[in-house]
Amino acid sequence: MSVTILVGGQWGDEGKGKVVDLLADRVDVVVRSQGGNNAGHTVVSEGREFRFHLIPSGILCPDTVCVIGHGVVVDPKAFLAELAHIQAQGVDTRNLVISDRAHMVMPYHPVFDQLGEQQRGDDRLGTTRRGVGPTYEDKVRRIGFRIGDLQKPKFLEKKLRFVLRLKNETLTRLYGAEPFDEQAILDEYIGYGELLDPYIRDIYPLVQGAMVEGRRILLEGAQGVMLDLDLGTYPYVTSSAPTAGGALTGSGIPPSRVTNTVGVFKAYTTRVGYGPFPTELTGELGEYIREVGAEFGTTTGRARRVGWFDAAVARYAVNTNGIESIVLTKLDVLDTLETIKICTGYTSKGERWDHPMANISHLKHAEPEYTELPGWMTPTRQCRSFAELPAPCRDYVEQLAERCGASIDAISVGPDREQTIIRRPLI
Ligand code: IMP
């Protein structure tokens, strides 16, 4: 039996989808543990591109059971569209399961997401506007709808009457927006219930059974540690816990069962949306890395902000999540640079910091401290072993490992499955 947690160590988009795809045939069960269709994974397998938002990318492995855990918020419409899309690409989805405890995005949630952003004006967060934040808000407020509610139409109807009255009052009185029609939502969601029925399960017996039977489980986190509600750059964060802790509550697996925690880090840093980003490159170099790295969001198509690798952030992620093993992605994107920088800490108001501070305006103005290394100026996409990488490239990787405090066990040098260097098996 093994339980491996996979977390993004930066601000999301580290390339977790490719890693899950790589590991999927080494595990029996993949559980996606949090987030919603704000996330996006692109996986290239044998030259074919697959895009995932809610469905674990492990689905490309037909024998692996793929679970959408109860920490996830599911937009049924988006889920069904994604399902139809990957089925049309020939993907077998018989092993897909959704927890009946997972909360649902309702039609008013994306509207509240947009209105909330408008209300914040210049201080907006830059959310994906998928309604994920408002869905988690309702979960905490205990007026959320769960996937299992779709199997109880009478209960759904009664609850919707109560909740929609609250929502419509807020929409019309506070925002002067259009109210939602109760019957239309009910009809729509009862229709979803029929389509989703084959996938909905109480995942407790499945997950417990898998542990008892000695199966290998992978917990797939979405987003990244710096977007965590508690550990991240609050309020410029997502509304769930993309950490090792979140992976456990989102799947129902106890900490004592965890075998190892793998962190995925990009060889540089990106961030989508607003909020502090100390190592951001706003000039031509940033633009160049964005183009070479194709740093445009899978979910929203937004241009990602780009910067140097921030080892202060990475070490913070390693230490707060117990990351023992790192997968470094997109190393090839740096192939043409003459020099490369690593941020080792910051100075703010005359004080030195070796980790990101809570005070967001201090972090915004923090002066990064850099160490500079020579680039390797050689293509690495064909390399399949660490020894094949050019010496300055190996130095860069070793420096990152030392500064992060964890070993770099796998390196991705291109989008395809094959373009990967495995130094030590992750599972
Ligand atoms: P929300 O999760 O849509 O509420 O957005 C909150 C913040 O998290 C915004 O800055 C988003 O750009 C960011 N975010 C949410 N999901 C992802 C992701 O999968 N990758 C990168 N950033 C994300």
Side-chain angles (χ1 to χ4, degrees):
M1 204 263 330
S2 67
V3 174
T4 301
I5 302 179
L6 190 82
V7 292
Q10 295 156 318
W11 277 278
D13 307 316
E14 298 91 353
K16 295 179 290 296
K18 173 174 169 175
V19 182
V20 174
D21 175 55
L22 276 172
L23 297 179
D25 63 357
R26 303 183 65 93
V27 297
D28 306 296
V29 183
V30 177
V31 188
R32 161 89 186 265
S33 42
Q34 44 70 232
N37 61 325
N38 49 353
H41 294 327
T42 306
V43 176
V44 182
S45 171
E46 286 147 21
R48 293 175 68 205
E49 192 172 285
F50 298 87
R51 283 172 182 234
F52 299 100
H53 297 284
L54 277 163
I55 298 173
S57 33
I59 198 76
L60 295 178
C61 205
D63 295 328
T64 305
V65 176
C66 284
V67 180
I68 297 181
H70 45 252
V72 177
V73 294
V74 179
D75 182 332
K77 190 176 176 181
F79 171 82
L80 287 165
E82 189 175 332
L83 189 68
H85 189 73
I86 60 167
Q87 283 172 341
Q89 287 182 292
V91 177
D92 182 350
T93 56
R94 275 174 302 180
N95 274 333
L96 183 60
V97 174
I98 308 178
S99 166
D100 55 2
R101 290 178 168 85
H103 276 246
M104 270 192 296
V105 178
M106 300 299 283
Y108 42 81
H109 287 133
V111 175
F112 277 105
D113 204 347
Q114 296 200 14
L115 291 169
E117 284 285 86
Q118 275 166 26
Q119 217 174 15
R120 283 174 180 268
D122 286 347
D123 288 329
R124 64 193 182 280
L125 308 176
T127 73
T128 57
R129 304 198 175 199
R130 298 290 189 272
V132 169
T135 307
Y136 279 114
E137 279 173 38
D138 282 359
K139 175 179 177 175
V140 175
R141 207 175 151 195
R142 280 142 302 171
I143 55 166
F145 289 87
R146 302 195 293 177
I147 286 284
D149 296 346
L150 294 174
Q151 296 173 317
K152 301 174 284 180
K154 284 276 166 258
F155 174 79
L156 185 69
E157 184 175 356
K158 188 168 166 233
K159 187 157 146 190
L160 187 62
R161 187 159 306 139
F162 166 68
V163 175
L164 199 61
R165 192 169 50 78
L166 295 178
K167 296 293 167 189
N168 278 341
E169 265 178 27
T170 315
L171 282 171
T172 53
R173 292 196 193 177
L174 187 66
Y175 294 106
E178 287 298 310
F180 278 86
D181 180 68
E182 187 187 309
Q183 194 58 46
I185 296 183
L186 198 59
D187 292 345
E188 184 184 344
Y189 275 65
I190 286 175
Y192 294 149
E194 284 162 14
L195 295 168
L196 290 178
D197 198 59
Y199 301 98
I200 304 174
R201 290 260 290 275
D202 176 358
I203 66 161
Y204 170 72
L206 188 158
V207 170
Q208 292 296 318
M211 288 191 286
V212 170
E213 287 161 18
R215 306 255 180 243
R216 295 155 304 171
I217 303 171
L218 177 67
L219 305 183
E220 172 189 351
Q223 288 94 32
V225 173
M226 295 310 288
L227 287 172
D228 179 73
L229 262 177
D230 294 299
L231 293 169
T233 46
Y234 189 89
Y236 300 97
V237 290
T238 192
S239 35
S240 61
T243 51
L248 299 178
T249 51
S251 60
I253 291 183
S256 55
R257 295 295 192 127
V258 176
T259 321
N260 64 331
T261 301
V262 176
V264 185
F265 293 84
K266 215 177 263 187
Y268 48 98
T269 312
T270 61
R271 156 159 223 176
V272 203
Y274 300 99
F277 182 179
T279 64
E280 183 167 14
L281 292 163
T282 49
E284 265 176 34
L285 183 57
E287 196 110 328
Y288 175 76
I289 298 175
R290 175 160 45 248
E291 288 303 322
V292 178
E295 294 295 353
F296 299 90
T298 312
T299 301
T300 59
R302 288 183 290 178
R304 295 179 185 139
R305 298 157 66 194
V306 171
W308 294 121
F309 189 92
D310 188 336
V313 156
R315 197 172 40 242
Y316 174 74
V318 163
N319 290 339
T320 53
N321 288 270
I323 293 169
E324 295 133 356
S325 185
I326 289 178
V327 180
L328 189 70
T329 62
K330 292 190 135 180
L331 184 62
D332 56 297
V333 172
L334 307 180
D335 280 353
T336 50
L337 303 188
E338 267 176 51
T339 51
I340 299 175
K341 291 184 184 179
I342 304 171
C343 168
T344 53
Y346 323 103
T347 311
S348 172
K349 310 245 168 228
E351 204 181 331
R352 188 182 185 272
W353 289 76
D354 67 356
H355 65 277
M357 66 285 283
N359 187 320
I360 228 63
S361 72
H362 288 189
L363 189 60
K364 233 177 220 170
H365 299 110
E367 203 50 58
E369 242 171 42
Y370 287 113
T371 177
E372 199 170 302
L373 280 80
W376 43 96
M377 315 275 284
T378 315
T380 56
R381 280 198 167 193
Q382 306 309 318
C383 300
R384 295 291 176 271
S385 71
F386 190 64
E388 282 174 61
L389 291 172
C393 182
R394 293 199 304 268
D395 283 351
Y396 180 63
V397 174
E398 299 293 16
Q399 280 256 357
L400 293 187
E402 196 184 316
R403 293 184 185 279
C404 293
S407 69
I408 296 181
D409 292 333
I411 301 166
S412 170
V413 288
D416 212 282
R417 241 185 220 173
E418 309 305 315
Q419 292 169 315
T420 312
I421 296 169
I422 307 283
R423 299 174 75 192
R424 202 168 63 115
L426 300 165
I427 294 179

